[in-house]
Amino acid sequence: MRRTHVEKLGWHSELADSFQREVRRFFPDAINDDYQHILPRLTNDPKDRHVLAAAIRAGSSLIVTFNLKDFPPDSLKEWNVEATHPQDYLQVLYELDPAQMIQRVAKIAGQRDETQFDTLVELGKSCPTFAVRLIDDLELC
């Protein structure tokens, strides 16, 4: 993940390192690396087999990714794993607890010293349907 943040997304090393520290702090059980023995049995895209193997090893039933093409359902079925787009995942979370999602967006906006509208516009670059739904529901425009 750190490599992707730095090399593909252009994050500064300090930001990528900070992100890694926070993930490890808040999700210590999410870090696993004892999955290499699973890799030869996987049929999804070779460059993302480590992601599926880590999900299997962790007992996860869901991979949240923008890159759905590398996780075809036929490659996941045997492992009882599904892949979903972040936008779809956020919409499910919103439907489960709208108040909490709105509170989280407000907190992020506050941390960024910007309005909820501006935060949702930025989020809309990658998750447009979700962002528009919250903007409409919050009557921000």
Side-chain angles (χ1 to χ4, degrees):
M1 187 183 310
R2 184 188 187 284
R3 180 179 48 82
T4 297
H5 285 151
V6 173
E7 294 176 12
K8 292 188 178 184
L9 300 178
W11 289 21
H12 293 286
S13 292
E14 298 81 20
L15 178 59
D17 291 340
S18 173
F19 181 85
Q20 289 293 307
R21 281 192 303 276
E22 293 302 299
V23 167
R24 291 174 194 278
R25 183 168 71 117
F26 285 102
F27 305 102
D29 294 336
I31 307 300
N32 72 66
D33 58 5
D34 184 25
Y35 56 75
Q36 287 76 11
H37 63 283
I38 302 170
L39 292 171
R41 297 180 52 203
L42 303 180
T43 60
N44 65 305
D45 189 283
K47 71 178 178 11
D48 279 327
R49 287 186 181 160
H50 67 286
V51 175
L52 177 55
I56 293 165
R57 174 72 173 88
S60 177
S61 61
L62 185 66
I63 295 171
V64 180
T65 180
F66 288 100
N67 190 16
L68 293 173
K69 68 177 177 36
D70 287 353
F71 300 95
D74 289 348
S75 294
L76 306 178
K77 187 176 182 179
E78 173 185 352
W79 307 102
N80 296 316
V81 174
E82 293 182 35
T84 191
H85 191 280
Q87 176 166 266
D88 297 330
Y89 186 66
L90 289 171
Q91 290 193 107
V92 168
L93 293 178
Y94 180 61
E95 290 167 10
L96 290 172
D97 194 343
Q100 185 171 155
M101 183 63 75
I102 291 167
Q103 179 185 24
R104 300 292 180 178
V105 169
K107 183 177 180 180
I108 292 168
Q111 290 172 332
R112 292 179 168 191
D113 195 28
E114 62 187 18
T115 67
Q116 286 183 359
F117 179 79
D118 289 339
T119 299
L120 290 169
V121 166
E122 184 65 28
L123 180 60
K125 293 176 183 176
S126 56
C127 299
T129 303
F130 174 72
V132 167
R133 181 172 180 190
L134 260 68
I135 289 170
D136 288 347
D137 288 358
L138 294 171
E139 300 177 345
L140 296 177
C141 68

